[in-house]
Amino acid sequence: MNLIFLGPPGAGKGTHAQLLMNELGIPQISTGDMLRQAMKAGTEMGLAAKRYIEAGELVPDEVVIGIVKDRLQAEDCKNGYILDGFPRTVPQAEALAQFAKIDVALNIDLADEVIIKRLSGRRVCLKCGATYHISTLNGREDCAACGEKLVQRKDDSPETVQNRLTVYAAQTAPLIDYYEKKGILRTVHCAPSATVDENYAQVRETLGLK
Ligand code: AMP
């Protein structure tokens, strides 16, 4: 199954993509993680992407399209993949359609006020991509999966989060319509108080997993 996870920043795309990756044995391909790794490694692409990411803006289409096109050639994508955070603009979606056949675009929907609370308490592992919320860490500062020190993403600061939501509404939300018209959109509405397990159960049901 070739999947796209759509939805605003902080809606749980990464968390659910990781759960699904473990369950189905297909890779989660997060353009945000790949760009952050490139930034950490100090590559030319990472350095070029840094100012966009830290301002909550989108990295230019041609950069991310190139990364995804290369990544989808890898052997581990043969039986399917989960695109997490790509496409984020209509031109990206149009480019993707030239080199990939997507089965389902899953839209994870969540209210803005929940997103802002979530992102301000988010801590991430830059090594393995795991994410946590401070409310569940009990003071722990390292990643339970790989031991790396957890950090707060610069773009999770309140001002940048607001800009990311504005950018999402202007540039990414039109993809909901785009995939609806293609007949492959499915939406999961996450209640503000729902747990990860409850939301993941909805994701599974929406994808028709037994
Ligand atoms: P994410 O981890 O998915 O929230 O992405 C973090 C940041 O990386 C975004 O705010 C953008 O600056 C950049 N980014 C990730 N994916 C894309 C994409 N598909 N198109 C453009 N920029 C992206």
Side-chain angles (χ1 to χ4, degrees):
M1 191 157 33
N2 299 340
L3 298 171
I4 290 173
F5 274 19
L6 285 177
K13 298 187 297 294
T15 303
H16 292 113
Q18 287 202 347
L19 291 167
L20 204 59
M21 166 178 83
N22 294 335
E23 180 171 344
L24 300 181
I26 57 176
Q28 168 207 18
I29 298 174
S30 157
T31 39
D33 283 350
M34 289 193 273
L35 291 166
R36 279 184 291 278
Q37 275 156 15
M39 264 165 63
K40 199 175 168 203
T43 66
E44 202 178 313
M45 182 185 74
L47 295 175
K50 191 173 157 68
R51 69 184 169 97
Y52 296 101
I53 295 180
E54 291 185 352
E57 301 289 339
L58 295 184
V59 171
D61 286 339
E62 59 277 14
V63 175
V64 279
I65 291 167
I67 304 179
V68 173
K69 193 171 181 187
D70 283 353
R71 180 65 184 87
L72 294 187
Q73 316 280 322
E75 188 62 21
D76 66 340
C77 294
K78 237 182 31 219
N79 297 321
Y81 46 79
I82 308 158
L83 286 172
D84 162 12
F86 181 93
R88 255 178 158 101
T89 64
V90 171
Q92 289 179 22
E94 286 168 345
L96 177 67
Q98 305 297 310
F99 58 82
K101 159 98 182 63
I102 301 301
D103 300 302
V104 175
L106 188 81
N107 175 32
I108 304 183
D109 187 40
L110 184 69
D112 279 7
E113 54 274 22
V114 186
I115 289 171
I116 290 168
K117 240 186 241 161
R118 248 190 212 183
L119 293 184
S120 58
R122 179 160 76 172
R123 296 295 179 271
V124 299
C125 172
L126 291 181
K127 191 169 171 196
C128 75
T131 63
Y132 303 85
H133 192 272
I134 41 171
S135 59
T136 61
L137 279 170
N138 298 321
R140 199 188 159 118
E141 291 180 359
D142 55 351
C143 175
C146 73
E148 181 87 351
K149 190 166 167 44
L150 299 175
V151 294
Q152 178 170 39
R153 283 169 45 173
K154 274 210 178 125
D155 59 343
D156 279 346
S157 69
E159 320 76 67
T160 312
V161 165
Q162 195 49 58
N163 192 36
R164 286 162 70 201
L165 290 174
T166 307
V167 167
Y168 173 79
Q171 301 195 56
T172 308
L175 291 179
I176 295 172
D177 239 28
Y178 177 93
Y179 285 114
E180 173 101 73
K181 287 194 180 116
K182 302 246 175 239
I184 59 167
L185 184 80
R186 303 203 197 151
T187 297
V188 170
H189 296 285
C190 298
S193 57
T195 63
V196 171
D197 286 352
E198 285 164 347
N199 289 331
Y200 185 58
Q202 271 204 75
V203 167
R204 294 188 77 258
E205 197 187 324
T206 308
L207 293 175
L209 300 176
K210 298 278 174 271

